[in-house]
Amino acid sequence: MQKKLLLITLLLLHIYSAKAQKEYYFPEETFSNDIPSPYSYLGYHVGEWHTRYDRLVGYFQLLADKSDMAELITIGYTNQLRPLVVLVISKKENISNLEYIRTNHLKLVDPTLPMPDVSGMPAIVNLAYSVHGNEPSGGEASILTAYWLLASQSDLAKEIRNNAVVMIDPAINPDGRDRHTNWANMHKGTPPVADPLDREHNEIWPSGRVNHYWFDLNRDWLPLAQVELQSKIAWYHTWYPNVVGDFHEMGTNATYFFEPTKPFGSENPVIPRKNYEEINNKFAAYFAKALDDIGSLYWTKEVFDNSYPGYGSTYPDIQGGLGLVFEQASSRGHIQSSQRGDITFQFTIRNQLKTSIATMEAGVKEREYMHKYLREYFQTAITEAGKDKAKGYVFGDETDESRNRLFLKLLLDHKIKVLENDKDIISEGKSFKKGKSWIVPSSQPQYRMVRTMFEKVTTFSDSVFYDASSWTMALAYGMPYATQTIVSGKEIKELPSQTLTFPADGKYVAYMVDWSDYFAPKFLHHLQSAGVHVEVTAQTFTSNTDQGSKEFPAGSLVIPTAFQKLSQEELRKALKEAAVLAGQNVFASTTGFSLKGIDLGSGSISAIQKPKVLMLVGQGTSQYEAGEIWHLMDTKVGMPMTKVDLSMFGRVNLFDYTTLILTSGNYSSISPSQIAHLKDWLSRGGTIISMRSASQWLQSQGIVQEEFVTAEEAKGPESVPFADSRNLSGAQEIGGSIYLGKLDTTHPLGFGYKNSEIPVYRNTTLFFKPSKNKSQTPVRYSANPLLGGYVSPANLEKIKQSSSVLVSKVSQGRVIHFIDNPNFRGTWFGTNKLFFNAIFFGNKM
Ligand SMILES: [Zn+2]
């Protein structure tokens, strides 16, 4: 009897809470019973717990199984092998006809095809959530949005099902989202604690914001350094959505933000004004109404940057669609106090749900308009290209096939048309070899992406940048390029095949590999791992090789057949494996007597020590920089690297390692005894690779003695109204801009570079003077260094007097200071080799 009563009470409670939940999210809706509710699958109401990604996908799979209006597709996998899924929802006829809808929609993207009749074409709406894993309300809202769209009997839901194909991407960053999900759930109290200081609201390092490699995926839509965005962009170009919603969270004390963003200052120069001035306002009316209906406050037109093409809300704008950023004040956890009272997780989810529905509604109501805009966008791209002085660009580095291929791949991934170059060209004083360079015509539908890749922008309508102010990808890849007036050649559709050179069986004195290729470090690492003894030349020589006379510049690898622990056969096997793996050409010589320059037994050729690298990570260090280095060593070299938490540094014996990496950060927690150990190890031959502000710490501890630039500040205004103070301080920052560096190609840090001009990426206001040791500043700046982006005149003066990379000799050891970040966002292929050189040749500096 008692048991029965309890059951009835529980049942009543359950009905009551289900009703309360429905009233909170959907007060006036009637739902079909054929579609399972989130509660029936999850066993809790959306917002009561953070939903694990596998359960989120599980619910989507259930919807696809139960409904003929839904289909679940897998577009890729994360680093931790979570599936990246898209739930497609539309009326039954559309779901069974998706391929026809898709190919018909793609006709809009190609202005050479006749314009299709758009009146019957559904809107393609992509709702993409939780690209920042610790901004979880989006992913939860995706559950409710999918349920509403499939189950609601309302006229609006029917209209959307009939006139749109909705593609729901529950989390662009599932690995990071689960990191945060587990964090929030494992600290949830009963009752939950709203105090912002509670552990639930303060994640440890690395935060859920970033992916497996600690990358911010909302910066990766342009670089495509990460698997998540590689999959997403490949999928994107199969659909070219009309509208893309990108759902974020911001500080707990804020309200809600939707576009339009700040006029001019935070807009991208290649995007048509119509997008900002007309379309954004059209859509904003829907979002305002949706939030007004539930009395939620919001703001528009202030801050939030919309210019960098690597954002999920900007890239669609450069693809003829409308990208929309939404920002919800975060409860970061289940409930958190704010200046306006407690913010619940449910509250944040409801706002995202309402704007999700409004995005679909606007997409459907403005359907024909958006289809016509999509066509117009690609048509005007060609008209605008016709007015551009640059009819195209020629690019290619004849010494680095791998870097050419990486850049070609980036262009092809973004659907940019590329032509083969079948003649030797000299343009703007640079020469481009036939077969080793390519041409990108301006006149093509992706003209605006062509500009994004090649154009250098140095004038701006604003001086405050939320992020980068320059993103010229050709410079990031260190790619020689020039404008072209005549563009012709055969279009390439895929990466050209690669043919490698390897010496025939024979008796050789040594094998040789040029260090100029991007993947040469991968080759070296695999040889060293196989136990091969490898040497490097500090001077150029010309050898009589199996392929004839060949010059080997400084940095080239020499593998003598003597002094090896491996048999000749084993050595060849190791060489071949490494060459195939890294795509390297191997040469061999039967004599140590060179045709020109030093001989193979010269003192300028020395053994390469196998590096053993330790990087300090964890609270206090930069998760982005550390992630960039980890990703670089994993994916570009394949070298294991020990990551030690800063709090564990006291247990490290540095003498077990050759190299210590310090990223930007706060190292004040390192104890005096560990600093003494560090100094001892350094002075006995250790190598420290120090990034940006870590160099400041080394300086403050007296470990290095360098000097800062102390240029007089430019005279600013006497006083500034308080309301403008934020803008003034923003203008003094260096938000991310590109400079021309001067590289000493004879320095071990410059090995593998033929050109002394090197673009570098700077986003710091740290100015180190060149080293007093005249030969230890491998990268300084050219006389007029600014290549792209915003910098204040005072900062530009300081840059001219400072250095980009310098080396401090400390007794037998050295510190290599990278004041500019050579690995920025996994996309600075042009400067990565400086970093590789620091790893492999550090002890030669
Ligand atoms: Zn975000």
Side-chain angles (χ1 to χ4, degrees):
M1 182 66 194
Q2 257 193 347
K3 232 181 191 173
K4 212 170 186 180
L5 204 72
L6 187 72
L7 215 84
I8 292 167
T9 320
L10 280 174
L11 203 69
L12 279 173
L13 263 173
H14 166 62
I15 292 167
Y16 173 76
S17 86
K19 196 161 163 272
Q21 285 284 313
K22 188 189 160 296
E23 267 165 20
Y24 186 69
Y25 291 120
F26 304 111
E28 284 148 18
E29 301 278 345
T30 318
F31 289 109
S32 153
N33 287 326
D34 300 338
I35 306 295
S37 71
Y39 180 85
S40 71
Y41 176 78
L42 296 171
Y44 57 85
H45 296 295
V46 170
E48 284 179 352
W49 291 92
H50 285 60
T51 303
R52 279 199 333 255
Y53 185 72
D54 60 324
R55 307 226 65 211
L56 223 156
V57 175
Y59 180 61
F60 275 18
Q61 186 61 60
L62 181 66
L63 293 179
D65 292 345
K66 296 278 179 193
S67 171
D68 49 19
M69 295 189 292
E71 191 178 305
L72 189 67
I73 52 175
T74 301
I75 61 169
Y77 291 87
T78 67
N79 288 293
Q80 294 171 16
L81 299 180
R82 288 183 178 83
L84 294 159
V85 298
V86 173
L87 182 67
V88 188
I89 300 178
S90 192
K91 66 179 173 186
K92 187 181 160 196
E93 295 80 351
N94 285 348
I95 291 296
S96 50
N97 232 351
L98 276 181
E99 190 51 22
Y100 169 78
I101 293 172
R102 188 181 77 81
T103 47
N104 205 37
H105 182 78
L106 288 190
K107 288 179 189 160
L108 294 169
V109 175
D110 184 351
T112 63
L113 297 175
M115 177 75 176
D117 174 15
V118 296
S119 63
M121 289 166 61
I124 310 300
V125 179
N126 177 210
L127 302 174
Y129 299 96
S130 296
V131 62
H132 292 140
N134 59 4
E135 300 174 5
S137 58
E140 305 290 331
S142 81
I143 301 174
L144 294 171
T145 303
Y147 174 60
W148 176 84
L149 186 55
L150 284 170
S152 170
Q153 301 298 299
S154 67
D155 291 341
L156 180 60
K158 279 180 204 156
E159 192 186 346
I160 295 169
R161 292 194 295 260
N162 286 338
N163 295 299
V165 175
V166 177
M167 315 246 182
I168 302 179
D169 189 335
I172 298 179
N173 177 15
D175 292 350
R177 192 174 189 279
D178 268 0
R179 193 183 302 136
H180 177 262
T181 296
N182 288 330
W183 182 265
N185 286 341
M186 74 195 240
H187 293 100
K188 183 188 177 187
T190 312
V193 179
D195 186 341
L197 288 174
D198 189 79
R199 198 160 196 255
E200 179 184 351
H201 310 304
N202 299 282
E203 293 163 277
I204 50 163
W205 196 107
S207 67
R209 178 183 177 90
V210 291
N211 78 341
H212 175 78
Y213 281 113
W214 312 336
F215 270 60
D216 183 338
L217 295 183
N218 194 38
R219 304 292 183 273
D220 200 40
W221 287 63
L222 177 65
L224 310 183
Q226 297 297 307
V227 288
E228 291 87 348
L229 263 300
Q230 288 161 12
S231 305
K232 176 89 189 172
I233 291 294
W235 171 84
Y236 190 97
H237 287 283
T238 64
W239 276 102
Y240 286 85
N242 299 102
V243 184
V244 178
D246 177 25
F247 296 83
H248 292 257
E249 293 184 13
M250 58 183 160
T252 307
N253 282 319
T255 55
Y256 197 90
F257 174 85
F258 55 83
E259 298 193 24
T261 36
K262 186 172 153 195
F264 294 103
S266 55
E267 294 169 352
N268 184 296
V270 307
I271 293 168
R273 298 301 313 157
K274 186 174 180 175
N275 177 306
Y276 298 120
E277 286 160 7
E278 196 175 306
I279 310 177
N280 259 308
N281 290 315
K282 238 182 223 294
F283 275 67
Y286 292 88
F287 310 138
K289 183 174 178 307
L291 294 176
D292 287 343
D293 278 351
I294 53 169
S296 258
L297 293 175
Y298 51 82
W299 51 285
T300 63
K301 298 182 286 286
E302 300 169 60
V303 292
F304 286 114
D305 184 11
N306 207 356
S307 56
Y308 171 61
Y311 296 131
S313 58
T314 305
Y315 188 81
D317 292 334
I318 313 181
Q319 297 297 329
L322 180 67
L324 295 160
V325 66
F326 298 98
E327 294 273 356
Q328 162 66 48
S330 185
S331 63
R332 195 138 296 153
H334 296 85
I335 184 168
Q336 193 176 158
S337 305
S338 83
Q339 59 164 336
R340 294 186 176 83
D342 290 350
I343 292 191
T344 63
F345 194 28
Q346 284 90 341
F347 173 76
T348 66
I349 296 165
R350 186 175 64 165
N351 288 334
Q352 304 277 42
L353 167 68
K354 296 299 169 187
T355 53
S356 295
I357 295 174
T359 304
M360 296 188 287
E361 182 185 4
V364 164
K365 299 270 204 263
E366 309 298 338
R367 177 174 60 90
E368 291 193 31
Y369 173 90
M370 289 306 291
H371 283 326
K372 285 177 190 157
Y373 174 72
L374 184 55
R375 167 56 71 103
E376 181 188 313
Y377 176 88
F378 286 105
Q379 212 149 32
T380 54
I382 293 183
T383 333
E384 276 180 33
K387 296 182 218 151
D388 196 326
K389 272 183 278 175
K391 297 298 162 213
Y393 297 88
V394 57
F395 72 88
D397 188 331
E398 60 177 291
T399 66
D400 189 347
E401 190 179 348
S402 293
R403 199 152 39 80
N404 287 338
R405 294 169 68 81
L406 289 162
F407 189 58
L408 267 176
K409 182 170 186 324
L410 181 76
L411 298 177
L412 295 176
D413 284 350
H414 285 294
K415 300 296 163 202
I416 293 169
K417 189 172 162 186
V418 185
L419 312 175
E420 283 175 0
N421 177 27
D422 51 15
K423 54 207 165 298
D424 291 348
I425 293 177
I426 293 184
S427 180
E428 297 171 6
K430 296 173 198 160
S431 73
F432 299 92
K433 288 271 180 309
K434 143 188 181 181
K436 294 199 166 183
S437 58
W438 294 264
I439 289 170
V440 176
S442 294
S443 183
Q444 59 170 303
Q446 289 289 5
Y447 165 64
R448 296 184 180 100
M449 281 304 287
V450 174
R451 288 180 62 186
T452 301
M453 294 292 167
F454 294 100
E455 217 172 55
K456 299 169 191 155
V457 182
T458 49
T459 50
F460 298 91
S461 48
D462 205 333
S463 53
V464 184
F465 287 85
Y466 181 78
D467 194 84
S469 64
S470 186
W471 44 78
T472 313
M473 296 307 277
L475 295 177
Y477 277 67
M479 194 50 69
Y481 73 100
T483 54
Q484 268 296 89
T485 45
I486 303 163
V487 289
S488 64
K490 193 169 146 248
E491 184 176 353
I492 63 159
K493 297 278 189 188
E494 53 191 32
L495 280 185
S497 59
Q498 212 178 359
T499 38
L500 299 175
T501 310
F502 195 83
D505 267 329
K507 196 169 172 293
Y508 301 107
V509 167
Y511 295 91
M512 286 148 293
V513 167
D514 192 327
W515 187 250
S516 306
D517 191 88
Y518 182 83
F519 286 118
K522 188 176 189 174
F523 173 79
L524 170 57
H525 167 68
H526 281 271
L527 281 188
Q528 289 191 320
S529 299
V532 177
H533 166 83
V534 187
E535 302 181 355
V536 60
T537 176
Q539 294 201 44
T540 305
F541 65 88
T542 303
S543 179
N544 187 12
T545 76
D546 61 311
Q547 304 285 318
S549 160
K550 174 153 171 66
E551 186 184 90
F552 291 94
S556 294
L557 306 179
V558 178
I559 302 114
T561 51
F563 313 109
Q564 299 290 352
K565 290 195 188 101
L566 278 60
S567 71
Q568 293 304 304
E569 219 164 286
E570 289 167 335
L571 175 64
R572 275 183 72 81
K573 188 169 166 276
L575 280 164
K576 204 163 205 169
E577 274 175 13
V580 170
L581 190 77
Q584 299 301 298
N585 293 310
V586 179
F587 299 84
S589 182
T590 52
T591 171
F593 193 83
S594 294
L595 296 174
K596 227 189 318 180
I598 57 170
D599 297 319
L600 297 188
S602 162
S604 292
I605 298 180
S606 60
I608 307 170
Q609 182 184 29
K610 186 172 191 290
K612 190 146 190 319
V613 183
L614 184 153
M615 175 165 66
L616 284 180
V617 300
Q619 206 65 46
T621 66
S622 162
Q623 64 181 7
Y624 293 138
E625 280 176 24
E628 284 156 4
I629 293 166
W630 178 23
H631 179 251
L632 185 78
M633 299 316 286
D634 264 21
T635 65
K636 305 303 191 299
V637 188
M639 177 197 270
M641 190 183 62
T642 306
K643 308 181 290 297
V644 172
D645 205 88
L646 188 49
S647 64
M648 297 251 297
F649 192 44
R651 286 168 53 183
V652 171
N653 178 1
L654 283 170
F655 288 98
D656 291 340
Y657 303 88
T658 62
T659 310
L660 170 69
I661 300 177
L662 302 175
T663 64
S664 295
N666 178 350
Y667 293 96
S668 58
S669 63
I670 296 181
S671 70
S673 70
Q674 198 62 11
I675 290 174
H677 174 58
L678 178 80
K679 283 180 174 170
D680 185 29
W681 167 79
L682 181 64
S683 64
R684 289 166 194 258
T687 298
I688 295 179
I689 298 177
S690 166
M691 306 283 294
R692 298 154 17 108
S693 70
S695 293
Q696 243 168 337
W697 178 75
L698 291 169
Q699 180 87 2
S700 73
Q701 297 304 314
I703 297 168
V704 298
Q705 270 99 33
E706 297 299 336
E707 276 182 59
F708 295 104
V709 174
T710 48
E712 209 180 297
E713 292 293 335
K715 251 204 151 62
E718 289 280 307
S719 71
V720 173
F722 184 75
D724 294 342
S725 56
R726 191 159 64 161
N727 285 346
L728 188 78
S729 63
Q732 307 309 319
E733 296 291 322
I734 296 181
S737 29
I738 304 176
Y739 300 88
L740 186 62
K742 276 274 199 222
L743 173 67
D744 176 359
T745 56
T746 69
H747 193 281
L749 203 94
F751 280 175
Y753 288 93
K754 292 233 165 75
N755 192 342
S756 63
E757 295 198 327
I758 183 169
V760 294
Y761 188 84
R762 165 169 277 252
N763 57 356
T764 175
T765 48
L766 194 59
F767 305 97
F768 271 84
K769 277 188 183 171
S771 168
K772 270 174 276 182
N773 181 331
K774 289 195 186 328
S775 61
Q776 290 290 14
T777 308
V779 188
R780 50 184 82 216
Y781 294 98
S782 65
N784 287 305
L786 183 65
L787 286 179
Y790 172 79
V791 62
S792 74
N795 279 337
L796 185 59
E797 272 317 304
K798 287 187 187 172
I799 287 172
K800 287 178 185 172
Q801 296 171 43
S802 68
S803 56
S804 174
V805 186
L806 68 157
V807 180
S808 307
K809 288 286 292 175
V810 180
S811 200
Q812 298 302 305
R814 78 290 306 152
V815 178
I816 304 160
H817 307 272
F818 284 97
I819 310 303
D820 298 329
N821 184 352
N823 311 317
F824 187 64
R825 287 186 183 156
T827 199
W828 273 76
F829 293 89
T831 44
N832 283 159
K833 187 156 282 166
L834 300 175
F835 195 82
F836 294 144
N837 288 343
I839 298 263
F840 286 101
F841 309 130
N843 65 351
K844 300 190 184 298
M845 295 173 193

